[in-house]
Amino acid sequence: MTTDPKTASVGQDRVRIDGPLKVTGTAPYAFEQPTENPAYLFPLTSTITRGKIRAIDASAARALSGVLEVLTHENAPKLLAKTDTELYILQSRDVHYFGENIGAVVAETQEIARHAASLVRVEYDTEQEDTRFRPEHPERYNPGKINTGIPADSKQGNVEQGLAEAAVTVDEVYATPYEHHNPMEMHSVIAEWDRERLDGVLGVLGERPHLRIHDASQGVSYERLMLLPLLGLLPQQVEISSPYVGGAFGSKGIPHAQVMLTVLAARLMPGRAVKYMLSRQQMFRSVGHRLTTHQRFRLGAAADGTLTAITHDVQQSSSRLKQFAEQTVNATRHLYAAPHRETSTRMVPLDIGPATFMRAPGEFPGMFAQETAMDELAVKLGLDPIELRLRNKPDTDPESGKPHSSHHLGECLKEGARLFGWEKRQAQPRARQEGEWLCGMGVAAATYPRQMTPPTKASVAFREGKYHVGIAAADLGTGAWTVLTQIAADALKVPEEDVVLHIGHTDLPLAFLAGGSTGTYNWGSAVMVAAVNFRDRYGLTPAEGDEAEGSAFFPDEAKKYMLDAYGAHFAEVKVSTVTGEVHVTRLLGVYDPGRIINPRTANSQFIGGMTMGISAALHEESYLDSRPGYGHVVNSDFAGYHIAANADVPDVQARWIEHPDPMFGPTGAKGIGEIGIVGVPAAIGNAIYNATGKRLRELPFTPAKLVE
Amino acid sequence: MKDTPDPGPTFPIALPIQLAVNGKRHQLDLDPRASVLDTLRDRLGVMSVKKGCDHGQCGACTVLADGKRVLSCLCLAASYDGADILTAEGLGTVDQLHPMQQAFLDHDGFQCGYCTPGQICSAVGMLDELAQGMPSHVTPDVRKVAELNDAEIRERMSGNLCRCGAYVNIVSAIREVGQGQAASAALPMPVAREVTR
């Protein structure tokens, strides 16, 4: 990093590079990519939950003027390798969940496609289905490993002994609901098959198929890697672009069935682009969700608050079609010290669509349980909840014994308490009332780990006086366009105006996706290495066309440490004694995020996560109708599935304590995209307890649970 | 389920509709089912209006129709014959941003940018409504002219959802524009220039 503050770009407040395009509405998202004479797709989706398709009668649809093709399992192109059960669609008569894509109509216009789809008659042979989540499900199983590749269960010491030794214990069950990501831009795909002429490439003459995809994707490189074995194509035959993404939050992390559906439909009409944007209702069916959890959490503590035991036993939903074993227990293994500790993860298999990553998978549901339980313990001990957390801050990682690369949780808690006016909080519930409103304050810690980062590269090329930096990264609104330009400018020691960034295309160097809050430190590292390689090779006066590549570098020494970001959330709420309605009047987050590349975009990442945390705390729940014959989300639009609106969010502020951490790589930055949501519902729930004396252990905190 | 479904008319119905979009006149033959939103995006290629839910629940498709903010997904094009439609790219351009667009940029009132064109059109229309003295749910006394404050902005902008969570920055941006100028001057009138078919 450039250290001269007069010339450095990193650390400076910069307006978004993509901002002018976005405020004028002219940044082209996937569905808006220029396309000649496109055809439009509307899907056929299953209206049973489990069984087999007996017959499909598409004659009325085919007879409609403007209909180009009806795609079903009967005429779908064959896929090669079944490397992903979610993408291996239309290869059989099987139906795995309600709303599954079982075909599509392609027509000249959206209106005709939608109307024609309603004319297709499907007959089924139904089979006994099961969509009702219950923790004691007879077929629940141990997944062995959870998503981050670590064991599903852990055990240290003897928790029964630890609980027996405790002066005070907490033993409660916490639950989190199904949630849906609801990015404002619905998943959108344009797919077009063409022929590529091989004029003697490798001595081969003739033609081969070429597939071009415009997608709303968190990472085109890994999307292509996932599609190739199914399609039986070489990397050179598939091109994916995704320069702008209208929000994702995990739902566009890996390709879902709608990508394959559009690709298969387009295969039937080579040379013609097929476009498909999901409806809001369809987003609730087949592009992933946050799974539902049932979590038993136990804490034991000595009279001074020192923890003697922590246990966390999780049962969570799973699709029979494809497992997603969320790392709900992860934060419990690392946040607080205790000699006796145990965690377990069990999956409940159901006939529902696959779950996927949703902002802070694992940490979000797990920390709701842990940080609510800690508050309950503080109440029982008569101890300030901040003091309880400080007393149990571990000196080294409780599970591995490794030292932390950096650990500033205590600073976040203390600084947050000072900024928030924590000293004004009354420990006794119902101590503050203003008219019909009971007021209270709550706190929760936040943590988010350094995630694995598969290979990632970047390139620097000198053309026409500019440094063109290429990496197949994605900007979902995170600020990647801007912060990667800042990092490149400093690494090349040039002004930002001399850097031209290229992202979101498979022709660019392979990059890991925008996920796990890795973007800035992972892509940033690759960009820095490419810049250093470029300068080493060509010096300060490169010639036209000079180019160098680099791979993301992380120090070997990092393996000796535990790497995490930390934070603390402070909430103030008022709860109506008349209606049970909760208002979050203030929310403050204080973070330990390593180096901040751009304070403006970083602040938006933090307050964005916190706002989504308010949304999850107060509103969000997908109601699955699990009666026989159903199995779909009944509130599948914004009228039924509420997300926080402007009036829900009066005062949300983020602060940070900047300690660059070189173990996270040369940028010194930790991940900031997800930690903003971690623990927020617990902080709000703890504030509700402080206000009302009612302890809520199930999200969301809707009025019915609080009305007096 | 045994009945053969009626496929409806097999001949295409087309209605002649005239729309002025961002100052450009268009004479169109439209499917009577076509919304203003789909007409703008799929027929005219005007992508500065966004589809977020198609049900009038998210606000991403907000445009100014004859100066008033409307949800274009709920407007059938056939019932907007002759209307002047203004989208975000009609308010200002990358080289010459509208004051509201500049304020959203300055206050980082967005992240992914997908709800942003609708937020900006809505904010411009909202300030105009406020200037005309229209009350809202949070106006303390509906007999008096509502004043510009954060509570009014939040309430009046709650029809425009932002999943990235930029609300507090959106409010700062709108407050700055609202305080900085007479709200009625924030709305440039569209000028019809040419007819294309």
Side-chain angles (χ1 to χ4, degrees):
Chain A
M1 287 286 161
T2 307
T3 46
D4 180 357
K6 285 195 290 289
T7 56
S9 170
V10 165
Q12 302 299 311
D13 181 0
R14 292 287 186 269
V15 167
R16 285 172 199 269
I17 287 171
D18 48 338
L21 287 177
K22 286 182 171 175
V23 297
T24 53
T26 51
Y29 297 85
F31 198 79
E32 302 163 2
Q33 295 290 330
T35 312
E36 281 287 312
N37 188 31
Y40 294 88
L41 179 147
F42 197 87
L44 305 172
T45 54
S46 65
T47 54
I48 65 161
T49 299
R50 183 172 164 158
K52 287 191 165 35
I53 297 166
R54 188 190 322 132
I56 296 184
D57 177 4
S59 53
R62 286 186 187 279
L64 199 67
S65 172
V67 169
L68 299 166
E69 189 60 78
V70 179
L71 172 75
T72 70
H73 69 277
E74 291 167 356
N75 63 347
K78 292 291 161 264
L79 293 171
L80 189 68
K82 195 175 181 176
T83 45
D84 187 303
T85 48
E86 190 181 359
L87 296 175
Y88 194 77
I89 59 168
L90 309 191
Q91 303 299 298
S92 76
R93 297 172 172 275
D94 297 341
V95 173
H96 307 90
Y97 61 93
F98 195 105
E100 185 175 14
N101 290 298
I102 56 168
V105 174
V106 184
E108 296 287 353
T109 69
Q110 298 207 56
E111 292 86 1
I112 295 171
R114 188 169 191 153
H115 177 48
S118 74
L119 302 175
V120 177
R121 288 288 174 248
V122 184
E123 291 173 37
Y124 303 93
D125 294 316
T126 58
E127 293 166 15
Q128 181 72 44
E129 86 260 9
D130 180 3
T131 59
R132 191 166 63 83
F133 175 78
R134 59 267 193 209
E136 300 300 325
H137 194 286
E139 290 173 56
R140 81 173 194 194
Y141 64 95
N142 180 345
K145 284 186 173 177
I146 47 182
N147 279 346
T148 46
I150 54 176
D153 293 2
S154 68
K155 184 173 162 57
Q156 283 167 287
N158 179 338
V159 294
E160 298 310 327
Q161 181 195 331
L163 290 166
E165 286 168 7
V168 174
T169 59
V170 169
D171 181 356
E172 298 292 349
V173 169
Y174 305 88
T176 60
Y178 294 111
E179 290 178 2
H180 282 81
H181 309 74
N182 279 297
M184 295 314 298
E185 179 208 27
M186 293 290 62
H187 298 62
S188 309
V189 198
I190 305 176
E192 184 175 4
W193 289 82
D194 235 319
R195 305 296 301 177
E196 178 195 6
R197 259 204 307 281
L198 298 168
D199 293 325
V201 177
L202 301 172
V204 181
L205 290 170
E207 292 184 330
R208 65 179 177 186
H210 183 84
L211 171 62
R212 188 184 302 119
I213 299 173
H214 297 291
D215 191 14
S217 170
Q218 290 176 233
V220 291
S221 297
Y222 279 77
E223 175 173 5
R224 179 164 74 173
L225 285 177
M226 288 184 70
L227 293 176
L228 290 176
L230 287 128
L231 296 171
L233 298 177
L234 296 167
Q236 301 87 322
Q237 290 175 273
V238 179
E239 179 189 332
I240 310 177
S241 90
S242 181
Y244 300 98
V245 182
F249 315 109
S251 69
K252 299 165 183 170
I254 54 172
H256 300 290
Q258 91 286 355
V259 175
M260 187 59 82
L261 186 71
T262 313
V263 164
L264 292 178
R267 191 78 183 94
L268 300 179
M269 47 190 83
R272 185 121 192 226
V274 175
K275 296 179 74 164
Y276 173 40
M277 177 189 268
L278 263 70
S279 70
R280 183 60 59 182
Q281 289 72 16
Q282 287 160 357
M283 190 227 61
F284 283 84
R285 305 279 165 86
S286 56
V287 289
H289 58 266
R290 195 196 286 284
L291 50 68
T292 184
T293 69
H294 174 279
Q295 311 176 45
R296 183 182 181 198
F297 210 103
R298 288 185 290 170
L299 290 169
D304 67 353
T306 311
L307 288 171
T308 56
I310 305 176
T311 81
H312 191 185
D313 298 297
V314 175
Q315 291 89 41
Q316 51 194 18
S317 60
S318 185
S319 166
R320 285 190 205 272
L321 182 62
K322 182 180 177 181
Q323 174 183 282
F324 181 85
E326 190 150 327
Q327 61 273 29
T328 309
V329 293
N330 186 58
T332 310
R333 296 180 183 173
H334 306 290
L335 189 58
Y336 297 117
H340 306 288
R341 42 204 313 132
E342 236 177 84
T343 66
S344 71
T345 308
R346 296 292 176 270
M347 307 303 292
V348 174
L350 300 171
D351 298 308
I352 58 175
T356 195
F357 325 97
M358 182 164 164
R359 206 170 199 167
E363 274 68 24
F364 172 85
M367 285 288 280
F368 169 61
Q370 176 160 240
E371 289 302 283
T372 310
M374 283 296 277
D375 201 67
E376 300 205 48
L377 183 65
V379 169
K380 284 192 173 179
L381 288 162
L383 197 61
D384 182 90
I386 293 176
E387 182 58 30
L388 175 65
R389 286 169 173 86
L390 293 174
R391 286 185 191 178
N392 289 289
K393 201 159 59 72
D395 297 327
T396 58
D397 175 47
E399 189 172 69
S400 65
K402 287 180 184 178
H404 298 97
S405 61
S406 60
H407 190 294
H408 303 284
L409 172 61
E411 230 177 313
C412 293
L413 285 163
K414 288 178 207 161
E415 179 64 3
R418 189 183 68 79
L419 291 167
F420 201 66
W422 184 255
E423 77 283 355
K424 296 195 194 83
R425 174 181 177 268
Q426 312 213 20
Q428 187 63 31
R430 302 182 76 93
R432 229 181 102 198
Q433 183 157 8
E434 294 166 11
E436 73 175 80
W437 299 95
L438 289 164
C439 306
M441 288 189 202
V443 67
T447 180
Y448 194 81
R450 187 210 185 282
Q451 300 285 13
M452 290 177 297
T453 46
T456 292
K457 291 179 176 179
S459 64
V460 176
F462 189 70
R463 293 196 300 271
E464 295 174 356
K466 301 280 188 192
Y467 294 85
H468 291 259
V469 175
I471 179 165
D475 189 329
L476 326 171
T478 55
W481 275 110
T482 312
V483 301
L484 291 181
T485 300
Q486 291 177 264
I487 290 169
D490 278 13
L492 289 162
K493 299 188 172 62
V494 297
E496 287 155 48
E497 304 82 70
D498 290 354
V499 174
V500 181
L501 184 72
H502 303 265
I503 64 171
H505 200 288
T506 45
D507 285 351
L508 298 166
L510 179 137
F512 185 54
L513 52 86
S517 296
T518 62
T520 298
Y521 61 76
N522 181 41
W523 302 330
S525 176
V527 166
M528 289 174 81
V529 173
V532 168
N533 290 348
F534 183 90
R535 286 296 187 215
D536 280 353
R537 204 169 303 164
Y538 307 113
L540 290 169
T541 51
E544 178 73 14
D546 283 349
E547 186 164 357
E549 259 199 4
S551 294
F553 162 83
F554 300 102
D556 284 341
E557 200 191 341
K559 296 193 184 89
K560 296 182 199 156
Y561 295 97
M562 191 67 200
L563 277 61
D564 292 293
Y566 293 94
H569 289 123
F570 295 80
E572 181 188 71
V573 302
K574 56 179 191 177
V575 183
S576 168
T577 53
V578 178
T579 64
E581 187 182 358
V582 180
H583 288 196
V584 178
T585 47
R586 287 195 295 146
L587 188 64
L588 171 71
V590 181
Y591 303 97
D592 163 26
R595 189 189 302 279
I596 290 296
I597 310 297
N598 182 338
R600 169 185 300 255
T601 53
N603 185 66
S604 285
Q605 280 286 74
F606 290 131
I607 63 171
M610 293 164 72
T611 300
M612 197 180 263
I614 292 176
S615 192
L618 301 187
H619 304 303
E620 292 185 44
E621 177 168 15
S622 304
Y623 296 93
L624 193 85
D625 188 343
S626 49
R627 290 174 299 162
Y630 296 91
H632 65 295
V633 173
V634 291
N635 56 329
S636 58
D637 63 20
F638 285 131
Y641 188 97
H642 291 184
I643 65 170
N646 205 319
D648 290 321
V649 186
D651 185 352
V652 171
Q653 295 188 39
R655 299 285 185 275
W656 49 87
I657 299 154
E658 197 170 341
H659 298 288
D661 187 338
M663 293 302 110
F664 273 76
T667 62
K670 300 181 178 183
I672 61 172
E674 289 164 279
I675 193 165
I677 196 175
V678 176
V680 170
I684 293 171
N686 296 342
I688 291 171
Y689 175 80
N690 183 242
T692 65
K694 281 189 187 169
R695 180 64 71 183
L696 300 186
R697 302 185 182 93
E698 288 182 23
L699 289 179
F701 309 135
T702 43
K705 295 174 184 169
L706 282 158
V707 73
E708 307 217 329
Chain B
M1 297 291 265
K2 282 175 198 154
D3 301 339
T4 306
D6 174 9
T10 52
F11 55 93
I13 304 173
L15 297 175
I17 307 291
Q18 199 178 80
L19 287 177
V21 181
N22 297 329
K24 203 168 169 182
R25 290 204 167 277
H26 301 272
Q27 184 65 48
L28 300 157
D29 292 322
L30 292 178
D31 189 312
R33 296 166 294 187
S35 64
V36 169
L37 172 61
D38 287 342
T39 302
L40 291 172
R41 283 172 67 85
D42 297 330
R43 284 295 300 272
L44 300 176
V46 175
M47 298 298 188
S48 53
V49 57
K50 307 298 180 187
K51 183 184 279 194
C53 73
D54 220 16
H55 278 52
Q57 297 166 346
C58 79
C61 67
T62 306
V63 298
L64 296 164
D66 296 327
K68 293 187 174 61
R69 54 175 177 164
V70 296
L71 299 167
S72 63
C73 72
L74 295 187
C75 304
L76 286 172
S79 54
Y80 276 76
D81 189 17
D84 274 321
I85 308 288
L86 203 55
T87 72
E89 68 180 309
L91 280 174
T93 62
V94 166
D95 297 325
Q96 199 172 359
L97 295 177
H98 182 278
M100 190 63 80
Q101 292 168 325
Q102 187 65 49
F104 268 66
L105 192 63
D106 293 342
H107 291 268
D108 214 35
F110 61 96
Q111 286 201 273
C112 80
Y114 196 79
C115 74
T116 312
Q119 298 273 2
I120 287 170
C121 286
S122 187
V124 169
M126 180 273 272
L127 287 182
D128 192 47
E129 290 162 16
L130 201 58
Q132 290 172 33
M134 291 166 67
S136 82
H137 173 66
V138 298
T139 306
D141 185 345
V142 295
R143 293 164 301 183
K144 294 180 186 154
V145 174
E147 62 177 84
L148 177 79
N149 58 40
D150 287 0
E152 286 283 358
I153 296 172
R154 282 197 294 267
E155 174 63 24
R156 290 164 189 261
M157 290 301 293
S158 282
N160 289 81
L161 299 177
C162 166
R163 187 57 157 163
C164 296
Y167 294 128
V168 291
N169 291 350
I170 290 170
V171 171
S172 307
I174 298 172
R175 186 200 307 126
E176 182 184 275
V177 175
Q179 287 171 348
Q181 63 188 75
S184 58
L187 188 66
M189 289 309 291
V191 183
R193 281 196 304 270
E194 54 187 301
V195 176
T196 55
R197 183 179 267 273

